[in-house]
Amino acid sequence: MSLGKDTLLRIDLGKPDEPNQVELGRKDEARVYKMFLDHTGSHLLIALNTSECLYLNRSVQKVRALSRWKGHLIESVGWNKFLGSETNTGPILVGTAQGQICEAEISVSEGSLFSTNPDQYFRQVYTLEEESGPAPVCCLEIERGIEGKFFIIATTQKRLFQFVGKVPEGTEQQGFGSIFAMHADHLPSFREFPASFGFSEIAFYTPKLRSNPRSFAWMMGNGVLYGTLDYSRPDSILSDERVWVYPSDIDITVNKPISIVLTQFHFLLLLPDGVKAVCTLNGQIVFQDLFLEKFGILTRMIKDPTVQQIWIHTEKVVFRYHVQRESRDVWKMYMNMNKFDLAKEYCKDRPECLDIVLAKEAEHCFQNKRYLDSAKCYALTQSYFEEIALKFIEAKQEEALMEFLIKKLSNLKPSEKTQTTLLTTWLTELYLNWLGILEGDPSKRNLYLDTREKFRTFLGSPKNKDCLFNNRASIYELLASHGDTEHMVYFAVIMQDYERVVAHHCQHDEYDEALSVLSRHRDEKLFYKFSPVLIQHIPKKVVDAWISMGSRLDARNLIPALVNYSQSASTQQINEAIRYMEFCVYQLEETQQAIHNYLLSLYALCRPDSLLSYLEQAGTNPNRIHYDLKYALRLCAEHGHHRACVHIYKVMELYEEAVDLALQVDVDLAKSCADLPEDDEELRKKLWLKIARHVVQEEKDVKKAMACLSSCALLKIEDVLPFFPDFVTIDHFKEAICNSLEDYNKHIEELKREMEEATHSAKRIREDIQEMRNKYGSVEPQEKCAACDFPLLNRPFYLFLCGHMFHYDCLLQAVFPNLPAYKQAKLEDLQKKLAAASQPSKGHHRPKDADTASLGKGQQSREQIKADIDDIVAAECVYCGELMIRSIDKPFIDPQKYEEEMQSWL
C-alpha cells in the first residue's frame, strides 16, 4: 500500500500485526501513479507521475530507481509467470501511456543489491494504435498454451489485441521480440468497441496458482466482454464471447466503472458508490454493496490470485471480501440453460437438487422425443414410478420403458426384494414381446440380435441371479407362454437347471445334445435319470460318457437302464453293456455283488468263452469272490455251461458234484477235480473210484481204467476189479496185479524191519532203567541247600543229577507257585493224605494180625503218596529244568510289591 507520496506499507497476511514501512526517499513533488506487484509478491514496480519508475524487492528495505525506464509513464505490466524467480523477473512486458509495449528484465544480485543496476535492459517491441493514433496500453497478460505457443493479450481504451506465436525452444530467456516481429507488417487480431470512458481493464479467472486462466472479462466503454479461454485455437484464445451491456443506472459519463474482478461464475464491477456482482451464466446482477461517503471515494479493486480474496480501497479504508459458496445456485442456472451435465456437477453433493435437475433433464429429453435418454434420467429420480411408467406406455415407447425399468432395477437395494421381483418379471415380459415383434421382421435382424443379446445379459446378470432363481417358475411360465424354447433352455442353463435342459433335448429327439449337457456338467443324478432313455438311441456314446465319468457313477444305479436295454437289444448292442460292466470290474475294481452278477448274466447270455475266463480269473477262494456262487451256478446250469458249473462246484468245495458233472464233459476235467481235496484221502479215493467206474462201465475202456490206477496212488487193482464184468480177459490186468503184489511184498518187508527196530529199542530202554536203579551220589557233611544256604543234612533233601541239592520244604516252596493250577490242587491233596497216613491209630483192641496187616497197608500207601509227591516236586531241578526257562520273562520284583521294595532302598 502507498500511504502517501513517500511511504509504502508492506503487510504479510500471515503476520498482520507486524507491518513493514518503507520510505521511497523522494524529496521532490513526485507522487505514486500506479503500483504493479507480481503474483509471487517478490517484485514491486512503482510508477511515478513524473514518468519515472522505482523497484522494490521483497527481501530488501530500500527502493531502487530504474534508470532505463525514465521518461515512460507506466500503465501496465505483463509479468512472466514461467521464468520469474525471487531475484529475477525474467523477460516482462511493460505498457506505457504513449502506446508503447516494451520488454524489460530486472535482476537483483544476491551478494550486493546495489552493486549493479537492477534493470538489465528496456527496449520497445511494439506500439499499439487506435484510429486516432497511439493509445495507452491499459492491460498486458502473457499466457503459454500447448506446444510452446505463447498468447499475449494487450488492451487499449477501445481495442483488445492478441499476439500469438512460438518462442524457439531454449530462447525463452531472450524475450518475446520474435512474437511481435511477426506482426510488424500487419496488425494483429483485435476486438474493437466504439464507446470509451478513457481506459479499460481486463480480468482473468485462474482456478489455482500456476495454472492457466480459464475465463476473462474485459471492462470497456460499451459494457463487459466476457467468455472463456481456449488454448487449442490457432489465432485467438477468446471463446464463447458475450457482452454484458451496462444497465441504465450505470452512466459511463457520470458513474463509470472503476475496476473489474472475475471469479468462477461472476464478475464484480467497482463503481463510485459501490460494488455490483454479475453472474456470467445469465448476465443477472446477483449482488450489490453500497459504501457510505464517510469512507471516501472508491479507488481500486483487485483480487489476490493466491487465496482468491478481493480487496477494495478508498483513500482512507481498505475492505476485504471473502467469496463463499459461490456455486451454490449455479446448478439452477445451468439447468435453466439446459446444460444438465454441468448442473449435475454442481449439485452432486445435494441429493434434493440433483433430483430436480434429473427430473428437468428427463422431461426435456421426453419433450424432444429422446425417450431412451429420458428413461435413464427418470430412473435416477424420486418421481412416482407409476406415473413415469404410464407416461412411456401412453407414448408407446416400450424400448424406453425397458430402459427405465432396467435402470430402476439396478438402483434398488438388496432388501427391496418385492420391487426387484416385480421389475424382473415385467422386464422379462417386455423383452419377450419385443423379441417376438422383431423376429418376424427380417429387415430388423440386427436389432433382433442386439436385443436378444441384451435379454441374455439381463438373464445372466449376477445381480438378478437370486431374484430369478427364487422366481424361476414364473419365468418358465412366461417363456413357455411365448413359445420361446430357445431362451427357456438358455435360462435353464443359467439357473443350472440341467434336468430341464436335458429333458427338453430328449423330447425333441436331440439325444446327442442331451448327452453333451450331461457330459459337460457331470451330474450323477441326471445320468441316472436320463440314461434309460439315451441308451436306447445312442448306446455307444452313452457308455463312453459313463466310462469318462469313472468312479463318480455308481454302476448299481445304471443296471436298471442296462437291463431294460439289453432285454430288447441285439447282441451287438448288448456288447456295449458288457463293455461298461468290464470297465467297472477290471478298471474301477468294483466289488459290488450286483455288478459281478449282472456281468455273469451277460456273459452267460452272449459270451460263454468270456464266462469261463472270468470265473477262472476270479479265483477259487470264496472269500475273495465277488459274485454270488449259488446264483452263478443256477445261471450256468440254465444256459448249459457245464464247464463253468464244474468250476463253481470246485470253488464251493462240492467235489463229488464237480466230478459227476465233469464226467459228462471230459474225463480229464474230472481227474483235475478229483485231486483237489488233498487233505482228505478217503474223499480223493472215492472220487477216483467214480472216475474208474465211469471209465469201466460207461466207456468200457480197460486201458483208461489202468491209467487211472497209475494217476492215483490211492487206488489198487483190487479196488477197480469189482467194476469189471465177470468174464474179462486177465491179460489186461496182468501188469497191474504184478505191481500190486510187489507193493504188498515191499510193505511186508518194511513192517518186519520196523518190528526189529522196535524190539531193539525196548531192550536198550530196559538196560537203561536197570542202570538208573543202581546209580547213586555222595553228599558231604558240609553241603548246603542251594535255596536257603543252610546245612543240607539237617532236614530231608533232594539230590539232582546236575549237582543241585535242596531241602524238601525249600524245593516245595520254589516249585509250588510255578505249577499249573491242577497240579497245585493235586499236590495239596497228596500232602493232606500223607499227613493223615502218618498219624498213629487210636484203637487199642485190634487183634495183632489185623494191626500188622493194617500197618503194612498204611506203609505201602505212604510210600505211594511220597512217590507221587516226588513226581510233582522233584520231576526236574528247579534251576536247570524247564521251569527256569518258562520264568525267564518274570520280573525279579513282583509288580505289586515294587513300591514297597523301592521304599525299602531309600
Side-chain angles (χ1 to χ4, degrees):
M1 286 187 288
S2 173
L3 302 181
K5 72 172 184 176
D6 198 39
T7 304
L8 290 179
L9 189 63
R10 293 192 296 189
I11 300 176
D12 185 348
L13 295 180
K15 303 174 182 178
D17 297 333
E18 301 177 9
N20 174 243
Q21 188 169 324
V22 179
E23 300 295 333
L24 297 182
R26 304 287 296 191
K27 303 302 182 183
D28 53 12
E29 296 299 323
R31 298 181 62 84
V32 175
Y33 177 62
K34 285 185 178 182
M35 293 194 302
F36 308 95
L37 184 67
D38 79 318
H39 63 287
T40 65
S42 299
H43 309 283
L44 176 67
L45 292 174
I46 307 166
L48 304 179
N49 58 357
T50 58
S51 298
E52 295 178 83
C53 190
L54 306 178
Y55 171 73
L56 178 64
N57 189 275
R58 181 179 182 176
S59 60
V60 298
Q61 283 289 109
K62 291 185 178 181
V63 178
R64 183 69 187 273
L66 302 176
S67 58
R68 291 187 175 89
W69 296 43
K70 191 172 183 179
H72 298 279
L73 182 62
I74 307 302
E75 289 285 349
S76 59
V77 174
W79 295 102
N80 193 326
K81 294 180 285 187
F82 316 106
L83 296 177
S85 65
E86 292 185 0
T87 60
N88 189 288
T89 61
I92 61 175
L93 297 177
V94 180
T96 69
Q98 293 79 27
Q100 299 170 341
I101 297 178
C102 301
E103 187 178 73
E105 183 176 358
I106 301 174
S107 179
V108 179
S109 175
E110 296 182 1
S112 175
L113 180 61
F114 300 106
S115 59
T116 58
N117 291 330
D119 49 339
Q120 301 296 312
Y121 63 88
F122 187 88
R123 57 175 175 262
Q124 181 179 344
V125 293
Y126 200 82
T127 300
L128 295 183
E129 296 183 356
E130 293 182 351
E131 294 178 353
S132 58
V137 181
C138 299
C139 296
L140 279 172
E141 181 74 15
I142 305 172
E143 296 297 337
R144 182 168 61 184
I146 59 177
E147 299 178 354
K149 185 182 292 186
F150 281 86
F151 297 88
I152 299 173
I153 298 176
T155 64
T156 62
Q157 299 173 7
K158 297 181 179 181
R159 293 183 177 181
L160 187 151
F161 295 88
Q162 294 185 71
F163 299 89
V164 182
K166 286 186 178 182
V167 176
E169 188 175 354
T171 63
E172 290 88 349
Q173 199 67 38
Q174 298 178 9
F176 306 101
S178 60
I179 298 177
F180 290 99
M182 298 169 57
H183 302 279
D185 299 332
H186 61 278
L187 287 176
S189 63
F190 64 89
R191 293 294 308 275
E192 183 176 12
F193 290 87
S196 171
F197 46 67
F199 65 94
S200 69
E201 184 174 348
I202 190 169
F204 296 91
Y205 168 69
T206 304
K208 52 186 177 181
L209 192 63
R210 299 189 184 279
S211 64
N212 290 329
R214 288 186 181 177
S215 55
F216 75 96
W218 180 35
M219 180 185 71
M220 40 76 184
N222 292 81
V224 177
L225 174 69
Y226 63 96
T228 59
L229 300 177
D230 185 357
Y231 296 93
S232 63
R233 300 179 66 179
D235 299 325
S236 173
I237 61 174
L238 306 183
S239 178
D240 297 332
E241 300 175 37
R242 286 169 287 176
V243 176
W244 183 77
V245 180
Y246 298 126
S248 58
D249 59 341
I250 298 179
D251 186 354
I252 62 174
T253 60
V254 180
N255 59 340
K256 57 185 176 182
I258 302 171
S259 292
I260 187 170
V261 164
L262 181 63
T263 63
Q264 186 176 5
F265 299 106
H266 303 83
F267 61 81
L268 281 73
L269 286 176
L270 180 65
L271 301 172
D273 58 348
V275 176
K276 291 182 184 292
V278 180
C279 179
T280 57
L281 299 178
N282 56 13
Q284 301 294 320
I285 298 175
V286 297
F287 173 77
Q288 296 188 67
D289 194 9
L290 299 176
F291 290 83
L292 301 176
E293 293 183 358
K294 66 178 182 179
F295 296 130
I297 300 174
L298 294 172
T299 306
R300 181 80 169 148
M301 177 174 62
I302 57 175
K303 186 177 75 169
D304 186 342
T306 303
V307 295
Q308 307 294 324
Q309 292 179 346
I310 299 172
W311 300 81
I312 299 176
H313 66 89
T314 69
E315 292 182 350
K316 299 179 181 179
V317 184
V318 176
F319 298 94
R320 181 170 59 179
Y321 281 86
H322 289 278
V323 180
Q324 296 179 343
R325 298 179 61 205
E326 182 184 4
S327 61
R328 63 182 180 274
D329 294 327
V330 169
W331 65 272
K332 291 182 181 178
M333 301 174 192
Y334 278 130
M335 182 182 68
N336 294 330
M337 297 165 61
N338 293 335
K339 295 183 178 180
F340 300 108
D341 291 338
L342 291 172
K344 288 183 284 188
E345 180 68 23
Y346 287 101
C347 64
K348 58 185 178 181
D349 297 331
R350 300 161 68 184
E352 67 282 358
C353 300
L354 181 61
D355 191 67
I356 296 173
V357 174
L358 288 170
K360 182 70 178 292
E361 182 182 8
E363 186 64 29
H364 175 77
C365 293
F366 192 91
Q367 291 176 357
N368 288 278
K369 298 184 178 181
R370 292 162 48 201
Y371 297 110
L372 288 177
D373 294 335
S374 176
K376 294 176 182 178
C377 294
Y378 271 132
L380 299 175
T381 66
Q382 301 298 320
S383 304
Y384 289 113
F385 174 82
E386 298 84 352
E387 292 181 2
I388 299 170
L390 288 172
K391 194 171 186 177
F392 286 116
I393 292 173
E394 290 172 358
K396 298 181 179 180
Q397 295 295 323
E398 285 194 4
E399 188 176 2
L401 176 61
M402 288 165 58
E403 186 67 28
F404 169 69
L405 296 179
I406 290 172
K407 292 294 183 182
K408 204 70 177 177
L409 178 63
S410 64
N411 294 330
L412 290 178
K413 299 177 182 178
S415 58
E416 297 174 320
K417 295 182 179 180
T418 303
Q419 294 89 330
T420 302
T421 303
L422 171 65
L423 292 181
T424 302
T425 308
W426 193 1
L427 275 169
T428 303
E429 175 70 19
L430 290 175
Y431 266 120
L432 291 173
N433 285 336
W434 187 238
L435 286 172
I437 295 171
L438 295 176
E439 190 176 12
D441 190 348
S443 63
K444 297 182 179 180
R445 178 65 179 172
N446 292 333
L447 181 58
Y448 167 76
L449 295 176
D450 292 341
T451 307
R452 185 182 67 175
E453 189 62 29
K454 290 180 181 178
F455 182 44
R456 292 185 174 184
T457 303
F458 167 74
L459 292 177
S461 172
K463 187 174 182 180
N464 303 332
K465 185 174 181 180
D466 291 340
C467 178
L468 290 171
F469 182 80
N470 294 330
N471 299 278
R472 59 188 183 278
S474 301
I475 304 298
Y476 281 132
E477 291 178 3
L478 284 175
L479 292 167
S481 65
H482 285 267
D484 195 342
T485 56
E486 178 185 1
H487 284 104
M488 181 181 291
V489 173
Y490 182 83
F491 180 68
V493 172
I494 293 175
M495 295 292 104
Q496 297 183 355
D497 190 359
Y498 302 117
E499 181 177 351
R500 186 182 293 269
V501 177
V502 176
H504 169 78
H505 288 310
C506 290
Q507 290 171 1
H508 292 79
D509 297 337
E510 299 170 351
Y511 303 109
D512 288 333
E513 288 79 358
L515 183 60
S516 176
V517 174
L518 290 176
S519 301
R520 188 164 55 251
H521 300 288
R522 305 174 74 84
D523 189 335
E524 299 88 348
K525 294 181 180 179
L526 295 183
F527 266 103
Y528 301 146
K529 181 173 182 178
F530 292 100
S531 288
V533 177
L534 295 176
I535 200 170
Q536 299 290 338
H537 301 88
I538 47 173
K540 185 178 185 306
K541 293 181 179 180
V542 171
V543 171
D544 290 339
W546 290 350
I547 292 175
S548 67
M549 287 288 289
S551 58
R552 294 183 60 178
L553 290 179
D554 188 349
R556 292 179 300 174
N557 296 329
L558 297 173
I559 289 178
L562 290 171
V563 171
N564 184 39
Y565 166 68
S566 60
Q567 287 178 352
S568 59
S570 64
T571 303
Q572 184 179 0
Q573 293 170 324
I574 292 177
N575 289 337
E576 295 299 329
I578 294 176
R579 182 161 69 95
Y580 181 66
M581 289 291 103
E582 287 179 340
F583 169 76
C584 295
V585 171
Y586 298 122
Q587 300 296 325
L588 301 182
E589 298 180 354
E590 287 283 356
T591 59
Q592 297 293 332
Q593 191 178 76
I595 297 173
H596 287 263
N597 287 346
Y598 184 58
L599 180 59
L600 267 175
S601 67
L602 294 175
Y603 279 151
L605 183 63
C606 294
R607 292 188 187 176
D609 297 337
S610 300
L611 172 63
L612 187 59
S613 62
Y614 165 78
L615 294 174
E616 291 175 349
Q617 187 175 353
T620 59
N621 187 347
N623 297 325
R624 296 184 179 180
I625 288 176
H626 304 301
Y627 57 85
D628 187 343
L629 289 169
K630 294 180 180 179
Y631 171 76
L633 181 62
R634 184 173 67 253
L635 191 68
C636 294
E638 288 178 359
H639 291 84
H641 302 311
H642 298 307
R643 287 185 179 272
C645 291
V646 170
H647 180 83
I648 297 171
Y649 277 134
K650 290 193 293 184
V651 175
M652 297 173 71
E653 297 183 355
L654 300 175
Y655 302 114
E656 292 190 44
E657 290 82 352
V659 171
D660 290 340
L661 186 57
L663 288 174
Q664 299 178 21
V665 180
D666 186 7
V667 174
D668 292 334
L669 179 61
K671 289 180 180 180
S672 65
C673 298
D675 284 331
L676 291 177
E678 298 177 354
D679 299 332
D680 192 346
E681 292 186 354
E682 184 178 352
L683 178 58
R684 286 175 59 200
K685 184 176 181 179
K686 182 179 180 180
L687 297 177
W688 277 102
L689 287 174
K690 283 178 176 286
I691 297 172
R693 174 180 294 175
H694 174 80
V695 171
V696 173
Q697 295 180 351
E698 300 296 332
E699 298 186 4
K700 302 183 185 300
D701 191 337
V702 179
K703 291 183 178 181
K704 278 189 177 182
M706 293 302 101
C708 290
L709 293 177
S710 61
S711 299
C712 180
L714 299 178
L715 289 183
K716 304 298 180 182
I717 186 62
E718 58 270 25
D719 298 324
V720 181
L721 286 176
F723 302 146
F724 288 94
D726 295 336
F727 302 97
V728 65
T729 305
I730 198 171
D731 293 341
H732 296 292
F733 313 113
K734 181 178 179 181
E735 185 179 353
I737 293 173
C738 292
N739 291 336
S740 179
L741 292 175
E742 289 178 0
D743 290 340
Y744 279 124
N745 287 333
K746 290 179 181 179
H747 185 59
I748 292 170
E749 292 297 329
E750 186 68 26
L751 290 175
K752 286 181 179 180
R753 187 170 60 254
E754 290 177 358
M755 291 173 63
E756 290 177 356
E757 290 177 357
T759 303
H760 183 68
S761 297
K763 182 179 179 181
R764 289 181 60 186
I765 291 172
R766 284 194 296 272
E767 292 175 354
D768 290 342
I769 292 173
Q770 187 63 34
E771 185 179 355
M772 287 296 295
R773 289 177 179 173
N774 299 326
K775 196 169 185 178
Y776 64 92
S778 59
V779 179
E780 299 294 332
Q782 65 273 15
E783 293 291 349
K784 296 182 179 180
C785 175
C788 65
D789 205 29
F790 280 93
L792 186 67
L793 300 177
N794 289 351
R795 300 197 298 275
F797 65 90
Y798 290 97
L799 172 61
F800 292 94
L801 294 177
C802 61
H804 287 115
M805 293 169 278
F806 301 92
H807 289 129
Y808 166 76
D809 53 342
C810 292
L811 182 62
L812 181 64
Q813 186 178 1
V815 171
F816 186 81
N818 298 290
L819 291 175
Y822 75 93
K823 284 192 176 183
Q824 289 181 357
K826 184 177 180 181
L827 183 59
E828 290 177 352
D829 184 57
L830 290 173
Q831 287 178 333
K832 290 178 182 179
K833 289 181 179 180
L834 181 60
S838 300
Q839 292 179 358
S841 178
K842 294 182 180 182
H844 300 286
H845 304 288
R846 287 184 181 177
K848 184 177 180 180
D849 295 340
D851 287 344
T852 302
S854 175
L855 180 61
K857 185 177 180 181
Q859 186 70 22
Q860 184 180 5
S861 177
R862 284 197 301 273
E863 291 298 332
Q864 184 62 39
I865 292 172
K866 286 182 178 181
D868 294 340
I869 291 175
D870 289 344
D871 290 341
I872 296 175
V873 176
E876 58 182 359
C877 175
V878 71
Y879 287 169
C880 301
E882 292 183 4
L883 181 61
M884 181 58 68
I885 296 174
R886 289 197 304 270
S887 64
I888 192 170
D889 58 344
K890 184 179 179 180
F892 291 108
I893 301 174
D894 188 351
Q896 297 179 355
K897 299 181 179 180
Y898 181 80
E899 291 293 334
E900 180 182 351
E901 183 68 21
M902 185 176 68
Q903 292 296 329
S904 67
W905 282 72
L906 298 178

